[in-house]
């Protein structure tokens, strides 16, 4: 299942359409909002006796490392990490922002 925790990117790369669609700023959902959505998906899977894998479809999931760590900690605290499947992240952006 696709989940979006944030939208937008400040980088404005020539090959990318994100800034054309969403501008050059990033808008994040609150951690609580994302965790609540994940809990709803977990409950849905349990009710349907199935499994759901979540993929974050953010334009740049880890662009703000502090915020990403906070979100992941909240997801772990809510006991929903079993749903997580992955996320997209530009490697150069992750390296630049983490040191």
């Amino acid at each position: 299942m696709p989940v979006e925790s944030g939208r937008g990117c400040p980088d404005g790369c020539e090959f990318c359409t994100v800034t054309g669609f969403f501008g050059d700023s990033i808008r994040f959902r609150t951690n609580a909002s994302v965790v609540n959505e994940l809990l709803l998906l977990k409950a849905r899977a349990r009710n349907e006796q199935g499994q759901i894998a979540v993929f974050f479809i953010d334009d740049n999931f880890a662009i703000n490392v502090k915020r990403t760590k906070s979100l992941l900690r909240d997801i772990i605290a809510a006991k929903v990490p079993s749903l997580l499947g992955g996320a997209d992240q530009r490697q150069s952006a992750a390296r630049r922002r983490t040191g």
Side-chain angles (χ1 to χ4, degrees), residues 4-98:
E4 188 173 55
S5 74
R7 179 179 288 178
C9 181
D11 293 332
C13 301
E14 287 183 28
F15 61 85
C16 185
T17 60
V18 170
T19 55
F21 282 113
F22 304 118
D24 60 358
S25 64
I26 302 172
R27 290 161 313 285
F28 295 113
R29 290 172 59 191
T30 65
N31 288 4
S33 171
V34 176
V35 169
N36 285 339
E37 181 175 356
L38 294 175
L39 289 170
L40 287 172
L41 290 172
K42 186 175 182 178
R44 176 179 162 192
R46 188 173 39 248
N47 289 340
E48 296 176 4
Q49 297 178 345
Q51 294 181 337
I52 293 177
V54 169
F55 188 88
F56 284 99
I57 59 168
D58 299 34
D59 300 311
N60 220 333
F61 181 72
I63 196 162
N64 181 321
V65 174
K66 184 177 179 181
R67 184 261 178 185
T68 302
K69 286 181 179 181
S70 172
L71 174 60
L72 294 174
R73 284 186 187 110
D74 287 352
I75 290 170
I76 291 167
K79 300 183 187 328
V80 291
S82 60
L83 295 174
L84 300 183
D88 282 332
Q89 172 63 39
R90 266 187 51 215
Q91 293 299 317
S92 60
R95 280 193 301 271
R96 184 176 67 237
R97 288 171 176 81
T98 59

